[in-house]
Amino acid sequence: MHIRLHKVKNNKGKGTMMSGGDQEPGHYYVGIDVGTGSVRAALVDQRGILLAFAERPIKKWEPQFNHHEQSSEDIWAACCHVTKKIVQGIDVHRIRGLGFDATCSLVVLDKQFHPLPVNHEGDSYRNIIMWLDHRAVSQVHRINKTKHDVLQYVGGVMSVEMQAPKLLWLKENLRETCWDKAGHFFDLPDFLSWKATGVTARSLCSLVCKWTYSAEKGWDDSFWKMIGLEDLIGDNYSKIGNLVLPPGTSLGSGLTPEAAKELGLPPGIAVAASLIDAHAGGLGVIGADVRGYGLVCEEQPVTSRLAVICGTSSCHMGISKDPIFVPGVWGPYFSAMVPGFWLNEGGQSVTGKLIDHMVQSHAAFPELQAKATARCQSIYAYLNSHLDLIKKAQPVGFLTVDLHVWPDFHGNRSPLADLTLKGMVTGLTLSQGLDDLAILYLATVQAIAFGTRFIIEAMQTAGHSLSTLFLCGGLSKNPLFVQMHADITGMPVVLSQEVESVLVGAAVLGACASGDFTSVQMELLLFYETFSLKDGGNGENEQSGESCVPKT
């Protein structure tokens, strides 16, 4: 690899939102992001600069294997807590808009909007089936056997992580305690916007990506009848959504007085139709202005970019002017992320969780914890440094020449679309020292990067033309993860200097809903530094937000 180091600042000093005209100074926007394990909030100014940040963990339950549940009441309380934190000491009347993003988990409420149990224990506090829940295996197999036309728009095979199989599971397993009493089934992002405004409208993003809704044709009655959920058709689909709005659309009369009091915000501020969390991250990075950095994508259309949102899972978001059907990759979805563009979404389930699992279950993990603590480092910064020590003169990637990981411990989302696949490690020895843990960690990161390459190759074969990766999310803060993606895909990787791109994407929605900005613009600008790394990072710039642009 030929290394060319360059470090440049974006001299425009712009943020992530562009205006149709000038605004008054001092306007703020709030973005709230509900992830798998925590709720985060940010206060963002009209230049797209993050001014304040707060985070609060949320509860998760796993009553049995592959059953994962949360509480909408717990999540809303966390939203209120973090929002109050970020607005302390500011004039809240300068806040003009609020945007939500969240995981695509299923929220169940009764006809009076009270929580209903999604579990055999009858605990109504646990009223959310999480996105990663795989209880509906039988149901999704039966749905896929129908070969219905709507399946063309989810890569040909529906995922167990989508909402139709979960709804069918509820009908077949919790008929009396949940299904018959249900009045409203929300995707979690839509639940949050309802909670803030009292408006039951659904986001086009959620319904198109996870519920089989068509932006052009609406609901398909024949699908719901074919899979045994014809009761959802009644009252014009009121239980799952009959008012569908593009992300960023202003909802109702804005923030209700009750929600305003709970959040610590003024009543009536604009609240936007929401986004799924990965799509907010894609919105936050895919339109970045990278002119002047010598990147191959500078002279190419935005369709040459692949946004990779990598946290608990990894999502691969590519857009196109015309629909492209990619076997095993979700979509094409029209206007689900960027208005006027078709979206394909590849994915790898629980990538971040897999890395944690491999490291924490190793016999040398206590030693790793102790040594990382002694150096005041995270365990992953320590592992990255340790890999640099043991690699000697060879590139760090060659340490795994005899050790290989197949990363589908939670099934394969893309492009094989096979939830029955299992993980595998080959090349193990009897040694259980810290060196072995570090190399297993490296092999796991490499396996995830090869999974991304596998997805890119499937998208390219189907008609996408991709040249550059734009990464965001928690794993993008790990320089080894970034470098392995650059090396294994052979593509430059661009990172935002603002590492909280998902939150900025949520705030973009609030700004759009406020009317201060004309639309969710394609030319979203970000601060950028580009910086090429040698093979493997040492963990020292884990939080820097720098970019890795290898020259091969």
Side-chain angles (χ1 to χ4, degrees):
M1 179 180 293
H2 304 290
I3 302 298
R4 179 165 60 94
L5 297 181
H6 57 287
K7 203 170 187 180
V8 291
K9 289 278 189 178
N10 187 330
N11 60 11
K12 298 190 176 186
K14 297 289 185 179
T16 61
M17 295 173 285
M18 292 184 66
S19 166
D22 295 333
Q23 297 104 29
E24 298 176 16
H27 287 173
Y28 303 131
Y29 311 94
V30 172
I32 298 177
D33 164 53
V34 180
T36 300
S38 67
V39 174
R40 307 180 308 149
L43 184 70
V44 178
D45 70 14
Q46 61 198 40
R47 298 166 296 166
I49 297 175
L50 192 148
L51 304 175
F53 170 88
E55 183 172 15
R56 186 178 181 89
I58 49 180
K59 298 174 183 175
K60 302 188 293 290
W61 290 267
E62 189 176 359
Q64 55 184 292
F65 179 65
N66 273 339
H67 288 229
H68 298 270
E69 298 166 4
Q70 288 182 313
S71 164
S72 63
E73 292 182 353
D74 175 60
I75 287 173
W76 179 252
C79 290
C80 297
H81 176 86
V82 293
T83 305
K84 287 178 178 176
K85 285 283 187 183
I86 63 168
V87 300
Q88 288 179 355
I90 71 152
D91 180 0
V92 295
H93 296 287
R94 291 185 176 180
I95 298 173
R96 299 273 297 163
L98 169 64
F100 292 97
D101 74 76
T103 64
C104 48
S105 300
L106 177 65
V107 184
V108 186
L109 306 176
D110 68 14
K111 296 175 179 62
Q112 288 75 44
F113 296 95
H114 298 138
L116 285 171
V118 296
N119 48 76
H120 291 294
E121 294 82 4
D123 183 356
S124 59
Y125 188 67
R126 290 153 39 202
N127 68 317
I128 296 177
I129 300 179
M130 291 181 67
W131 64 270
L132 54 74
D133 187 288
H134 279 197
R135 70 182 68 184
V137 171
S138 171
Q139 288 74 18
V140 79
H141 281 322
R142 280 180 274 141
I143 290 171
N144 285 324
K145 284 182 180 179
T146 68
K147 304 293 184 182
H148 195 281
D149 287 346
V150 300
L151 300 180
Q152 296 178 37
Y153 290 86
V154 291
V157 180
M158 180 169 285
S159 168
V160 70
E161 295 173 7
M162 292 184 174
Q163 307 300 15
K166 294 174 181 175
L167 292 167
L168 188 56
W169 187 93
L170 290 172
K171 182 176 181 178
E172 294 177 349
N173 290 272
L174 300 177
R175 184 78 187 237
E176 294 183 3
T177 58
C178 179
W179 185 261
D180 288 343
K181 297 178 181 179
H184 307 276
F185 299 100
F186 285 102
D187 226 68
L188 181 53
D190 293 327
F191 165 81
L192 296 170
S193 61
W194 163 75
K195 190 72 173 174
T197 65
V199 177
T200 59
R202 304 316 203 264
S203 168
L204 184 69
C205 175
S206 298
L207 291 198
V208 166
C209 295
K210 307 301 175 185
W211 296 73
T212 76
Y213 186 86
S214 168
E216 298 171 304
K217 300 176 183 177
W219 295 113
D220 189 323
D221 294 359
S222 67
F223 170 72
W224 298 103
K225 292 176 181 177
M226 185 176 289
I227 68 171
L229 291 177
E230 61 280 350
D231 27 356
L232 294 177
I233 300 173
D235 195 21
N236 191 27
Y237 289 93
S238 62
K239 289 186 178 181
I240 60 175
N242 52 25
L243 175 59
V244 185
L245 299 173
T249 303
S250 183
L251 296 174
S253 301
L255 199 60
T256 65
E258 179 183 3
K261 182 178 180 181
E262 292 173 343
L263 290 164
L265 299 174
I269 67 170
V271 178
S274 60
L275 278 171
I276 299 169
D277 55 351
H279 300 65
L283 182 66
V285 298
I286 202 168
D289 181 4
V290 294
R291 288 173 291 183
Y293 304 130
L295 296 173
V296 63
C297 64
E298 181 179 337
E299 303 300 326
Q300 297 175 341
V302 72
T303 52
S304 69
R305 305 176 179 192
L306 186 72
V308 184
I309 298 83
C310 36
T312 304
S313 285
S314 295
C315 298
H316 305 73
M317 323 291 277
I319 59 176
S320 57
K321 292 294 288 184
D322 299 305
I324 299 175
F325 293 85
V326 187
V329 173
W330 297 345
Y333 303 133
F334 185 66
S335 288
M337 185 175 78
V338 179
F341 284 79
W342 293 84
L343 171 69
N344 283 106
E345 179 185 351
Q348 297 163 283
S349 289
V350 296
T351 47
K353 188 173 182 179
L354 174 62
I355 296 172
D356 290 341
H357 171 75
M358 299 295 271
V359 170
Q360 294 172 13
S361 61
H362 196 277
F365 179 64
E367 179 186 356
L368 169 64
Q369 278 187 304
K371 290 186 174 181
T373 300
R375 287 194 185 179
C376 298
Q377 286 183 302
S378 75
I379 59 173
Y380 295 113
Y382 186 92
L383 283 172
N384 292 348
S385 299
H386 193 74
L387 286 168
D388 271 347
L389 288 176
I390 64 177
K391 73 182 179 67
K392 299 179 181 177
Q394 63 182 343
V396 70
F398 285 83
L399 288 171
T400 55
V401 65
D402 295 318
L403 184 69
H404 307 286
V405 174
W406 182 264
D408 294 329
F409 283 56
H410 200 55
N412 183 281
R413 187 188 297 174
S414 303
L416 300 178
D418 186 346
L419 63 88
T420 68
L421 287 180
K422 302 294 188 289
M424 179 171 61
V425 182
T426 65
L428 291 172
T429 70
L430 293 176
S431 179
Q432 292 184 314
L434 188 57
D435 287 3
D436 302 280
L437 169 53
I439 293 171
L440 179 62
Y441 156 67
L442 171 61
T444 304
V445 171
Q446 289 174 328
I448 293 167
F450 273 110
T452 291
R453 176 173 164 176
F454 198 10
I455 291 168
I456 291 171
E457 289 172 350
M459 295 178 70
Q460 302 265 40
T461 299
H464 281 276
S465 180
L466 302 169
S467 66
T468 308
L469 304 182
F470 286 69
L471 265 61
C472 68
L475 289 176
S476 71
K477 302 172 187 177
N478 183 333
L480 179 73
F481 186 90
V482 175
Q483 188 67 55
M484 288 301 103
H485 276 70
D487 291 348
I488 289 169
T489 65
M491 291 184 177
V493 174
V494 180
L495 304 177
S496 168
Q497 186 176 352
E498 176 49 73
V499 296
E500 300 296 347
S501 299
V502 176
L503 276 168
V504 172
V508 168
L509 298 176
C512 187
S514 73
D516 292 345
F517 297 82
T518 55
S519 66
V520 179
Q521 296 281 350
M522 275 306 306
E523 293 299 327
L524 297 167
L525 299 181
L526 290 172
F527 286 135
Y528 266 83
E529 291 187 14
T530 55
F531 187 74
S532 63
L533 302 173
K534 295 181 181 179
D535 292 273
N538 62 10
E540 293 177 358
N541 62 337
E542 186 169 4
Q543 302 293 330
S544 72
E546 292 179 341
S547 298
C548 172
V549 191
K551 181 77 171 176
T552 58

